[in-house]
Amino acid sequence: MNIILLGAPGAGKGTHSEMLVRDFGLKHISTGDLLRAELKKASPVGLEAKSYMDKGSLVPDAVVMKLLVGAIAGIKHGNGFLLDGFPRNESQAGMLQEELASRNMNIDKVLYLNVSKDVVIKRLTGRRICKSCGAVYHVLNMPPEREGVCDKCGGDLYQRPDDTEETVLRRLEVYRKETEGLINYYKARKILAEVNADLSRDDTYGLILQKLGKK
Ligand code: AMP
């Protein structure tokens, strides 16, 4: 089962990726996570990506493709993989298609997490992440027991620099201009399944399982 999770920033792609990986043993490939890891290492790729990420713009396709191809090359045939945050435009979708075809692989399902703008702004500006273990909290909906401290490992919580309201609005605009067209792209290929992502995490996940024929 090879899946793409498509949706605006804050639709819950990361959260549902984690749940799908846990339940089906898929390999999780998040280009945002791969880029943030490069940034942390201060590698040339990370340094190139930083200015785009800080602004909420897309990192150039060539940079992202290099990371993606590396991740796909590391996949062992088995349970499948899940792409989170990739592709972000039609050119990336085309390159993905070619890369997979050359490895005799394909995408089985594109799950489109449909979320409204108000929900995204509330979710992202309140999101806090543990520096040590990556656990995700929300200042209102899922606060930690002690403010600023991770319940799971005691690590410090931080706000992603691109989760401020100004940058969230810019990311939404970039999504609308560059990524939204992929909904029709995959609809035309008859592999798109739409899910209401305004609901609670568990309700949305229930819908995802239905679309995957697992419920
Ligand atoms: P994400 O964690 O998916 O929200 O991504 C965070 C940031 O990383 C985005 O705002 C982009 O700057 C960059 N990014 C992640 N995935 C891609 C991609 N497929 N293409 C271009 N830029 C990306």
Side-chain angles (χ1 to χ4, degrees):
M1 191 165 59
N2 298 330
I3 299 172
I4 292 174
L5 279 187
L6 183 64
K13 298 189 296 294
T15 303
H16 290 108
S17 293
E18 270 178 30
M19 297 166 90
L20 288 164
V21 165
R22 178 197 68 196
D23 291 347
F24 303 108
L26 305 174
K27 180 178 158 95
H28 181 199
I29 302 175
S30 153
T31 43
D33 285 351
L34 292 172
L35 287 164
R36 279 183 289 277
E38 293 297 319
L39 215 94
K40 211 169 168 185
K41 284 193 282 186
S43 70
V45 166
L47 295 178
E48 187 180 350
K50 184 175 169 21
S51 58
Y52 298 94
M53 294 174 78
D54 283 350
K55 280 193 303 225
S57 308
L58 292 188
V59 173
D61 291 346
V63 175
V64 178
M65 273 319 284
K66 221 185 274 176
L67 294 174
L68 182 91
V69 169
I72 288 183
I75 292 175
K76 293 177 209 74
H77 285 273
N79 294 332
F81 61 84
L82 191 152
L83 292 177
D84 159 9
F86 185 96
R88 288 282 233 276
N89 56 33
E90 275 201 28
S91 138
Q92 291 183 5
M95 289 190 272
L96 172 67
Q97 178 54 35
E98 279 175 27
E99 184 61 32
L100 292 178
S102 74
R103 298 169 188 276
N104 279 325
M105 296 164 115
N106 65 340
I107 298 294
D108 300 300
K109 194 68 105 191
V110 177
L111 292 168
Y112 163 42
L113 302 183
N114 189 0
V115 70
S116 55
K117 188 173 171 183
D118 291 354
V119 170
V120 164
I121 293 171
K122 280 194 201 116
R123 266 191 204 158
L124 290 187
T125 54
R127 176 161 75 172
R128 299 292 181 271
I129 303 170
C130 174
K131 268 187 192 159
S132 308
C133 73
V136 180
Y137 297 86
H138 189 279
V139 289
L140 300 176
N141 305 337
M142 217 209 301
E145 276 175 28
R146 270 178 55 207
E147 199 188 321
V149 181
C150 178
D151 293 343
K152 292 183 184 150
C153 77
D156 289 338
L157 303 186
Y158 78 105
Q159 181 179 36
R160 257 173 59 170
D162 56 352
D163 276 347
T164 57
E165 183 157 353
E166 189 193 350
T167 312
V168 167
L169 290 173
R170 160 93 187 129
R171 286 162 67 199
L172 281 171
E173 185 56 19
V174 169
Y175 170 79
R176 197 184 60 75
K177 278 202 187 130
E178 310 239 10
T179 313
E180 213 167 48
L182 290 176
I183 297 166
N184 284 333
Y185 178 96
Y186 287 116
K187 208 182 257 176
R189 285 161 180 75
K190 304 204 184 318
I191 50 174
L192 191 91
E194 181 171 340
V195 170
N196 180 351
D198 278 348
L199 309 176
S200 72
R201 185 191 67 174
D202 290 345
D203 287 346
T204 296
Y205 192 60
L207 297 176
I208 288 176
L209 293 181
Q210 272 175 19
K211 296 287 182 189
L212 294 176
K214 303 283 182 190
K215 206 177 172 184

